[in-house]
């Protein structure tokens, strides 16, 4: 397989041709696509602001403005690209973004070059997907690229497990739930009004949740910690407290129940891991597993695939694609330190 037109650098930045960089910075790339706002995809964001034009979904833009609350909404190099809307670049390339079912605003990226070659990047993605990019060459996420990474439970079962666990543990006192961005909003959606107690959060998380609500997510209201309702709930020890990015989880021992909601699978056979009668982990995974990743690659129509070898299982996934998908050539990314 010759050197790919698509690649992933050591920083995790994804190169699509010679003009477009996804989720990272490298000299000479005038465009950066921000596929979503998870921290591991925000590499050198501030440096990019001075050198690159950004392309992103309207939801990602709203989350960035809510989080950073600085100059972003006044910059003219941040461009919002609607779902499936063709965005023409100055070299004649056509860019398309489609949702990736990972978190609010997350997207797959497809780029049609002037010669007609279609290249793309899955970004982090969940399964199933309503729409899948159609490309000739693809960079695919390999978070669950190992044949050992197969879930034997559904995400609906994981959500039911969380809801039941929180309701049961509330009988013993307050419940503290820690999760990453995107996953924490999913927790709130799952709990909704079912828990029957106030759900408390930081002012920062409440701002983020408002972005979700503004984009059509029917998720319940939160109470700020220092509000009258928040203070009253804490005094009565009858509440759910949510923690996410920037909040910091409690360092002192928690006398009540602690639940971590991981975006990664806890184990293959079930979503729940029990550490003690007060400490649990529930897998609300927003990533496709191994079999789902193979299905995704097949449905893109790609004949050449680069697996993201900055992740855990890039080599294993490339081997599996070559073995399982007839007519598809795969290789791990080069992980070059700079421009390929």
């Amino acid at each position: 397989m010759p050197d790919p037109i698509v690649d992933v650098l050591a920083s995790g930045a994804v190169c699509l041709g010679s003009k477009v960089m996804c989720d990272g910075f490298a000299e000479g790339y005038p465009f950066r696509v921000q596929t979503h706002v998870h921290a591991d995809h925000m590499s050198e964001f501030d440096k990019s602001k001075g050198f690159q034009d950004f392309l992103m979904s309207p939801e990602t833009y709203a989350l960035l403005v809510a989080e950073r609350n600085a100059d972003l909404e006044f910059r003219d190099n941040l461009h919002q690209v609607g779902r499936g809307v063709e965005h023409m670049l100055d070299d004649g390339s056509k860019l398309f973004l489609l949702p990736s079912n990972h978190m609010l605003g997350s997207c797959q990226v497809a780029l049609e070059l002037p010669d007609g070659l279609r290249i793309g990047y899955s970004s982090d993605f969940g399964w199933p997907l309503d729409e899948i990019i159609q490309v000739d060459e693809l960079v695919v996420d390999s978070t669950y690229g190992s044949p050992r990474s197969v879930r034997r439970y559904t995400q609906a079962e994981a959500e039911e497990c969380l809801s039941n666990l929180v309701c049961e543990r509330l009988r013993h006192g307050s419940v503290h739930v820690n999760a990453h961005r995107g996953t924490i909003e999913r927790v709130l959606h799952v709990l909704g009004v079912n828990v029957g107690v106030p759900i408390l959060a930081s002012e920062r998380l409440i701002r983020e949740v408002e972005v979700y609500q503004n984009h059509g997510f029917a998720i319940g209201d939160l109470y700020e910690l220092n509000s009258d309702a928040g203070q009253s709930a804490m005094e009565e020890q009858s509440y759910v407290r949510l923690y996410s990015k920037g909040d910091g989880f409690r360092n002192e021992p928690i006398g009540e129940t602690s639940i971590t909601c991981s975006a990664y699978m806890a184990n293959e056979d079930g979503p729940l891991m029990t550490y003690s009668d007060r400490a649990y982990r529930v897998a609300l995974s927003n990533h496709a597993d191994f079999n789902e990743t193979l299905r995704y690659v097949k449905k893109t129509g790609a004949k050449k695939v680069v697996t993201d070898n900055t992740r855990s299982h890039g080599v294993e996934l490339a081997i599996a694609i070559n073995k399982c998908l007839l007519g598809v050539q795969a290789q791990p990314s080069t992980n070059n330190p700079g421009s390929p």
Side-chain angles (χ1 to χ4, degrees):
M1 185 173 178
D3 290 340
I5 294 174
V6 296
D7 200 4
V8 186
L9 305 184
S11 64
V14 174
C15 310
L16 296 182
S18 60
K19 298 274 190 178
V20 176
M21 179 73 62
C22 299
D23 300 341
F25 176 82
E27 295 287 349
Y29 285 81
F31 300 100
R32 171 172 176 155
V33 177
Q34 192 61 52
T35 67
H36 62 294
V37 298
H38 279 155
D40 58 332
H41 289 258
M42 294 291 294
S43 175
E44 297 190 277
F45 181 87
D46 288 333
K47 186 172 184 179
S48 291
K49 286 196 303 182
F51 295 94
Q52 295 174 300
D53 278 342
F54 279 84
L55 305 164
M56 64 189 72
S57 69
E59 297 87 352
T60 292
Y61 176 83
L63 286 170
L64 286 170
V65 170
E67 176 191 4
R68 297 186 174 240
N69 197 25
D71 65 337
L72 294 187
E73 61 182 324
F74 305 107
R75 284 184 162 271
D76 60 6
N77 64 329
L78 271 68
H79 307 285
Q80 302 176 56
V81 180
R83 171 182 180 154
V85 176
E86 178 183 301
H87 185 91
M88 186 77 72
L89 304 185
D90 57 8
D91 67 345
S93 297
K94 301 173 184 176
L95 183 93
F96 303 86
L97 303 181
L98 290 177
S100 69
N101 191 26
H102 180 65
M103 69 166 293
L104 180 66
S106 63
C107 58
Q108 311 163 71
V109 185
L111 182 68
E112 183 178 318
L113 300 179
D115 63 3
L117 185 71
R118 297 169 302 164
I119 58 181
Y121 173 40
S122 70
S123 187
D124 291 354
F125 66 99
W127 191 263
L129 285 166
D130 294 332
E131 298 177 274
I132 296 173
I133 56 173
Q134 299 299 297
V135 294
D136 303 304
E137 297 192 18
L138 173 73
V139 174
V140 64
D141 174 64
S142 59
T143 299
Y144 287 146
S146 168
R148 299 178 297 280
S149 299
V150 177
R151 281 187 293 269
R152 296 183 176 88
Y153 58 89
T154 68
Q155 284 303 289
E157 290 170 334
E159 292 177 353
E160 183 179 8
C161 171
L162 173 65
S163 181
N164 291 340
L165 177 62
V166 170
C167 290
E168 192 279 327
R169 293 308 303 171
L170 278 170
R171 293 185 294 170
H172 304 276
S174 62
V175 175
H176 300 255
V177 183
N178 182 33
H180 291 297
R181 307 182 73 176
T183 303
I184 199 68
E185 283 83 8
R186 186 173 167 195
V187 169
L188 184 57
H189 177 74
V190 168
L191 298 183
V193 297
N194 297 328
V195 294
V197 300
I199 301 177
L200 311 184
S202 66
E203 183 180 354
R204 183 214 60 77
L205 180 54
I206 290 173
R207 287 199 309 270
E208 185 171 295
V209 167
E210 287 175 350
V211 175
Y212 277 71
Q213 292 170 327
N214 290 339
H215 286 86
F217 279 69
I219 52 182
D221 291 328
L222 293 171
Y223 295 93
E224 206 274 323
L225 296 170
N226 295 319
S227 67
D228 290 342
Q231 291 294 305
S232 176
M234 285 190 282
E235 288 175 5
E236 296 177 10
Q237 290 293 297
S238 180
Y239 62 92
V240 174
R241 167 74 198 276
L242 302 185
Y243 303 79
S244 190
K245 179 187 176 183
D247 292 336
F249 203 50
R250 289 169 55 169
N251 292 320
E252 72 274 14
I254 294 177
E256 303 83 21
T257 299
S258 169
I259 302 173
T260 295
C261 288
S262 171
Y264 304 95
M265 60 178 72
N267 58 62
E268 296 174 3
D269 297 318
L272 178 66
M273 292 185 69
T274 301
Y275 300 113
S276 73
D277 61 354
R278 294 184 305 189
Y280 305 86
R281 177 173 174 154
V282 178
L284 290 182
S285 177
N286 295 328
H287 285 272
D289 72 4
F290 173 74
N291 289 333
E292 293 164 346
T293 299
L294 291 182
R295 291 188 199 115
Y296 174 84
V297 172
K298 183 176 181 179
K299 286 185 174 293
T300 66
K303 298 305 179 186
K304 294 183 179 180
V305 176
V306 171
T307 59
D308 184 354
N309 197 32
T310 66
R311 307 286 178 152
S312 302
H313 304 295
V315 174
E316 284 183 278
L317 181 57
I319 293 171
I321 290 171
N322 288 327
K323 179 180 179 180
C324 299
L325 299 183
L326 185 65
V328 181
Q329 291 181 292
Q331 68 182 51
S333 58
T334 64
N335 300 356
N336 284 331
S339 302

